[in-house]
């Protein structure tokens, strides 16, 4: 009897370990969500992207998730102020979705976002006039502003700021890249606007 019980115990132990071995590893997107404590706020769409469930904001990460993170910003109700970020040595991209408790116009939101940049980065200087885009058939109206920054190493960077309002949600993009010359600034501006338009389209799906 004792041998029989031991045999059953060994089989059960082996089966449990087989189940553990068969369980798939979490995807990069699932790992990023878990690291932020954002379960129930974000959900993985595929192995390298996650969607904010309330606003529709889609966060796209590298295939291995390297440099990516999700942030639940404190101050509002959980999930009402979120961001997803990708960063490496030369580039930082941060997308925001915020549901404010009070209504504000798009121009007010854009002015507040610009002021937040100036507070966070005192050396940032506006480069050119604000960009205004009216609502289209598939896109909300949005505002944009470009800044130049002399960073702590003396290198020049550019920061592209975009703001849109869709229903009760405010979307923002901060795209910050090294820009040693005017051609680098132009290329960063083109890439940032392409990403911004894509992010707005993704949020409507």
């Amino acid at each position: 009897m004792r041998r029989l019980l031991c045999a059953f115990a060994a089989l059960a132990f082996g089966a449990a370990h087989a189940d553990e071995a068969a369980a798939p590893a979490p995807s990069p997107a699932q790992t990023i969500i878990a690291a932020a404590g954002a379960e129930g706020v974000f959900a993985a769409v595929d192995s390298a992207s996650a969607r904010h469930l309330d606003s529709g904001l889609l966060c796209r990460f590298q295939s291995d998730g390297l440099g990516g993170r999700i942030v639940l910003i404190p101050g509002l109700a959980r999930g009402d102020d979120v961001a997803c970020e990708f960063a490496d040595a030369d580039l930082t991209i941060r997308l925001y979705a915020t549901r404010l408790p009070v209504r504000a116009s798009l121009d007010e939101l854009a002015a507040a976002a610009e002021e937040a940049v100036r507070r966070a980065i005192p050396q940032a200087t506006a480069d050119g006039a604000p960009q205004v885009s009216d609502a289209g058939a598939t896109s909300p109206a949005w505002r944009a502003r470009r800044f130049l920054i002399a960073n702590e190493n003396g290198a020049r960077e550019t920061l592209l700021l975009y703001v849109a309002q869709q229903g009760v949600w405010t979307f923002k993009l901060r795209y910050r890249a090294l820009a040693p010359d005017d051609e680098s600034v132009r290329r960063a501006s083109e890439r940032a606007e392409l990403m911004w338009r894509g992010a707005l389209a993704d949020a409507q799906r």
Side-chain angles (χ1 to χ4, degrees):
M1 178 64 76
R2 181 176 295 176
R3 287 183 181 178
L4 188 58
L5 290 174
C6 288
F8 279 129
L11 285 171
F13 182 78
H17 278 261
D19 288 343
E20 289 175 8
S27 69
Q30 291 169 328
T31 299
I32 290 170
I33 292 169
E39 297 91 342
V41 177
F42 282 83
V45 174
D46 54 40
S47 63
S49 61
R51 189 177 295 279
H52 181 234
L53 297 173
D54 284 348
S55 71
L57 177 74
L58 184 66
C59 305
R60 298 182 184 273
F61 305 107
Q62 293 197 113
S63 59
D64 58 5
L66 192 64
R69 68 173 183 144
I70 284 170
V71 182
L72 303 184
I73 301 169
L76 297 178
R78 184 173 184 269
D80 276 5
D81 197 6
V82 302
C84 50
E85 181 178 278
F86 166 77
D88 65 14
D90 300 330
L91 177 66
T92 301
I93 300 166
R94 186 177 263 209
L95 271 169
Y96 299 82
T98 306
R99 178 162 49 192
L100 294 169
V102 294
R103 189 73 175 173
S105 71
L106 177 56
D107 288 329
E108 289 171 331
L109 293 169
E114 288 185 31
E115 182 57 30
V117 167
R118 293 187 173 95
R119 285 198 310 270
I121 313 169
Q123 67 271 34
T125 57
D127 180 32
Q131 185 178 353
V132 175
S133 178
D134 295 328
T138 60
S139 174
W142 50 267
R143 304 289 183 263
R145 196 71 189 266
R146 186 169 67 198
F147 296 85
L148 295 177
I149 303 164
N151 69 23
E152 58 272 14
N153 299 319
R156 191 174 75 162
E157 297 177 286
T158 187
L159 186 151
L160 290 306
L161 172 68
Y162 293 84
V163 184
Q165 192 175 45
Q166 190 162 285
V168 298
W169 289 95
T170 300
F171 295 105
K172 298 193 297 287
L173 168 66
R174 286 189 188 182
Y175 184 106
R176 182 172 177 172
L178 283 176
D181 51 45
D182 291 345
E183 177 61 18
S184 300
V185 173
R186 185 190 66 78
R187 288 198 303 269
S189 299
E190 288 179 351
R191 290 168 183 162
E193 183 167 332
L194 186 64
M195 176 173 287
W196 174 241
R197 290 181 181 275
L200 291 179
D202 283 338
Q204 296 183 64
R205 291 175 187 167

